């Protein structure tokens, strides 16, 4: 470890051991500290009451526990919580917590995590894409978003059991696969039984379609889920909606998906956001079925979230339902996702856009 870490959560397990050893502590301490950080959701070293006072002091003198701190929080009518975090360098990212009903397939608390400040892909319908790219998040900054909401749920629990983070989706701000190494380190810590202990199957990475990284992901042992943000079934339209398509067009992306499914022995999902008058006709549904029919996959349809650009609006309900019906008629696995946190700017990057706009004023 050459550079001083900015927080304890930047360290993987081996590095934590090294760090405590360098402080003159015995090896078993790392287990104790990790339990406080990843199981008891400590916010401060002072909370670690079974550690000697001297060690707690040494730890807080050496480094911070977490890399991010909450700056602003909104709670939507559907229970979605959206938090804007300050990073050490003054930049901000946002994270959402979504609650899914017990009656609809089991109670779930899903954290939607950001992986970059801004995004270089620049999709015109996306609030983050319009902010430009600033930097990658570190592993600690990624992990801390999950730990923050794990703590939030723990505090809300009030004695009732079962409220915990059950799923993590990398669908917040940024292109996760463009920050592969830091993302992967965060996933390993979130998955590790010695740390957060969340099943790999309960995590999903969403990508705009970085083909080399999809191939790399196929070789990883952990069975993390993968979602491809498709949004269009022909190159001309996809070039406009997801500009990364110019670098990795559909003739590269779809075979990479096929390869992923074969190597992993696991289905993947395609995200398709419906934009009125852009990609939502019956013809578009048929083109989509032609493109991915025969692949072991699932399609998630979602109506567009309205952002600053008026060119991207959700279609009327009957258009959405007709699109879904056509895919079903063509034997595709499709789910129409409800939009979450509509009243609190819960779309990717929207809270931060509003925050930046207010700052400019
Ligand atoms: N960069 C990654 C992950 C973050 S975006 C990706 O693009 O996959 C997460 C999802 O939100 C993507 O499917 C993205 O296309 C979608 N999205 C972004 N802005 C949206 C909007 N205004 N309406 C609907 N979906 C949107
Ligand atoms: Fe980036 Fe995803 Fe937004 Fe596109 S949709 S700009 S890839 S965050």
């Amino acid at each position: 470890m050459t550079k001083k870490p900015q927080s304890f959560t930047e360290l993987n397990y081996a590095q934590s051991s090294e760090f405590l050893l360098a402080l003159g502590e015995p090896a078993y301490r790392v287990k104790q500290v990790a339990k406080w950080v990843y199981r008891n959701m400590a916010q401060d070293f002072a909370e670690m009451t079974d550690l000697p006072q001297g060690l707690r002091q040494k730890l807080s003198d050496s480094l911070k526990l977490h890399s991010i701190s909450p700056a602003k929080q909104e709670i939507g009518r559907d229970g979605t919580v959206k938090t804007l975090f300050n990073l050490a360098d003054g930049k901000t990212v946002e994270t959402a917590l979504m609650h899914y009903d017990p009656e609809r397939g089991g109670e779930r608390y899903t954290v939607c995590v950001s992986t970059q400040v801004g995004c270089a892909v620049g999709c015109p319908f996306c609030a983050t894409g319009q902010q430009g790219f600033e930097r990658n998040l570190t592993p600690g900054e990624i992990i801390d978003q999950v730990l923050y909401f794990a703590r939030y749920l723990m505090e809300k629990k009030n004695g009732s059991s079962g409220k915990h983070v059950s799923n993590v989706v990398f669908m917040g701000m940024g292109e996760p696969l463009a920050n592969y190494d830091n993302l992967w380190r965060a996933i390993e810590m979130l998955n590790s039984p010695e740390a957060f202990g969340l099943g790999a199957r309960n995590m999903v990475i969403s990508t705009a379609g970085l083909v080399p990284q999809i191939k790399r992901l196929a070789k990883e042992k952990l069975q993390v889920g993968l979602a491809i943000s498709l949004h269009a079934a022909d190159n001309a339209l996809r070039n406009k909606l997801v500009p990364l398509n110019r670098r990795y067009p559909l003739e590269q992306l779809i075979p990479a998906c096929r390869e992923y499914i074969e190597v992993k022995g696991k289905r993947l999902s395609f995200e398709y956001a419906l934009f009125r008058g852009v990609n939502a006709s019956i013809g578009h549904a048929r083109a989509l079925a032609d493109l991915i029919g025969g692949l072991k996959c699932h399609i998630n349809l979602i109506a567009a979230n309205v952002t600053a650009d008026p060119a991207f609006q959700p279609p009327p309900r009957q258009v959405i339902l007709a699109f879904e019906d056509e895919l079903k008629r063509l034997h595709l696995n499709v789910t129409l996702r409800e939009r979450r946190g509509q009243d609190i700017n819960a779309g990717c990057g929207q809270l931060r856009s509003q925050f930046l706009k207010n700052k400019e004023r």
Side-chain angles (χ1 to χ4, degrees):
M1 231 185 311
T2 44
K3 217 173 112 217
K4 188 172 178 276
Q6 63 166 328
S7 78
F8 187 84
T9 51
E10 296 297 353
L11 306 173
N12 64 23
Y13 207 74
Q15 290 168 330
S16 312
S17 308
E18 234 178 88
F19 179 77
L20 285 159
L21 266 153
L23 288 182
E25 292 298 320
Y28 67 83
R29 284 283 185 234
V30 63
K31 224 182 195 165
Q32 249 179 321
V33 178
K35 190 170 172 227
W36 276 108
V37 177
Y38 293 101
R39 297 296 162 114
N40 301 349
M41 313 307 159
Q43 277 174 320
D44 207 296
F45 292 114
E47 288 176 39
M48 305 182 177
T49 43
D50 59 357
L51 299 187
Q53 167 64 26
L55 172 57
R56 278 184 260 161
Q57 193 57 48
K58 256 198 288 188
L59 284 169
S60 27
D61 290 346
S62 317
L63 82 182
K64 293 204 293 188
L65 180 45
H66 296 294
S67 295
I68 65 174
S69 56
K72 192 169 186 266
Q73 186 149 297
E74 292 181 357
I75 303 181
R77 277 191 294 275
D78 64 6
T80 299
V81 185
K82 184 101 180 183
T83 305
L84 186 79
F85 290 100
N86 280 328
L87 311 180
D89 60 1
K91 297 187 188 301
T92 52
V93 287
E94 60 185 63
T95 313
L97 173 72
M98 287 146 336
H99 178 216
Y100 294 94
D101 233 293
E103 277 149 37
R104 309 179 70 183
E107 183 162 56
R108 276 184 296 136
Y109 283 96
T110 299
V111 185
C112 180
V113 172
S114 291
T115 53
Q116 298 184 310
V117 183
C119 180
V121 177
C123 305
F125 56 83
C126 169
T128 306
Q130 299 315 296
Q131 295 164 6
F133 173 71
E134 294 186 36
R135 71 165 171 87
N136 282 329
L137 295 189
T138 62
E141 288 166 338
I142 298 172
I143 292 166
D144 280 340
Q145 297 171 61
V146 179
L147 296 184
Y148 173 83
F149 280 112
R151 168 91 180 203
Y152 176 91
L153 289 173
M154 214 169 91
E155 284 176 351
K156 276 197 61 165
K157 195 154 80 174
N158 284 338
S160 72
S161 61
K163 280 196 178 131
H164 57 266
V165 173
S166 48
N167 298 77
V168 168
V169 295
F170 298 97
M171 295 188 183
M173 300 169 56
E175 168 49 47
L177 294 186
N179 184 15
Y180 196 109
D181 293 339
N182 290 351
L183 169 74
W184 202 255
R185 276 192 46 184
I187 286 177
E188 282 179 333
M189 282 304 271
L190 290 171
N191 174 250
S192 164
E194 291 166 323
F196 192 67
L198 180 69
R201 284 169 203 277
N202 296 334
M203 297 189 242
V204 177
I205 299 169
S206 176
T207 179
L210 276 169
V211 167
Q213 284 87 332
I214 293 171
K215 294 185 175 183
R216 185 172 165 196
L217 195 61
K219 298 198 187 93
E220 303 282 2
K221 274 208 197 73
L222 288 181
Q223 290 285 24
V224 177
L226 178 63
I228 309 286
S229 298
L230 199 57
H231 309 323
D234 68 87
N235 282 323
L237 183 55
R238 196 162 188 272
N239 285 345
K240 291 190 199 140
L241 292 178
V242 187
L244 185 67
N245 195 71
R246 295 190 201 125
R247 195 144 41 113
Y248 301 111
L250 293 167
E251 350 24 300
Q252 289 182 37
L253 179 59
I254 300 301
C257 293
R258 185 169 295 119
E259 188 185 315
Y260 177 93
I261 294 164
E262 278 164 14
V263 173
K264 292 239 105 159
K266 182 174 157 66
R267 68 177 57 209
L268 54 68
S269 44
F270 289 101
E271 305 291 312
Y272 196 102
L274 290 160
F275 303 105
R276 175 182 205 153
V278 175
N279 66 351
S281 71
I282 293 297
H284 289 120
R286 290 180 187 153
L288 177 60
D290 278 347
L291 183 72
I292 61 174
L295 280 184
K296 210 170 131 193
C297 67
H298 192 94
I299 303 167
N300 290 317
L301 289 180
I302 183 150
N305 265 309
V306 181
T307 60
D309 190 336
F312 298 101
Q313 299 290 331
R317 188 82 189 155
Q318 70 270 24
V319 171
I320 297 174
L321 295 177
F323 195 96
E324 182 193 12
D325 282 349
E326 185 64 11
L327 293 182
K328 282 189 173 152
R329 192 181 69 77
L330 296 168
H331 309 292
L332 293 181
N333 284 311
V334 54
T335 308
L336 182 56
R337 300 265 169 217
E338 39 173 332
R339 288 181 289 171
R340 311 289 305 191
Q342 277 299 287
D343 51 330
I344 54 158
N345 290 305
C348 160
Q350 282 176 273
L351 181 65
R352 181 168 183 263
S353 286
Q354 200 192 36
F355 172 80
L356 295 176
K357 237 185 343 206
N358 290 342
K359 225 165 62 169
E360 276 164 23
R361 277 197 203 126

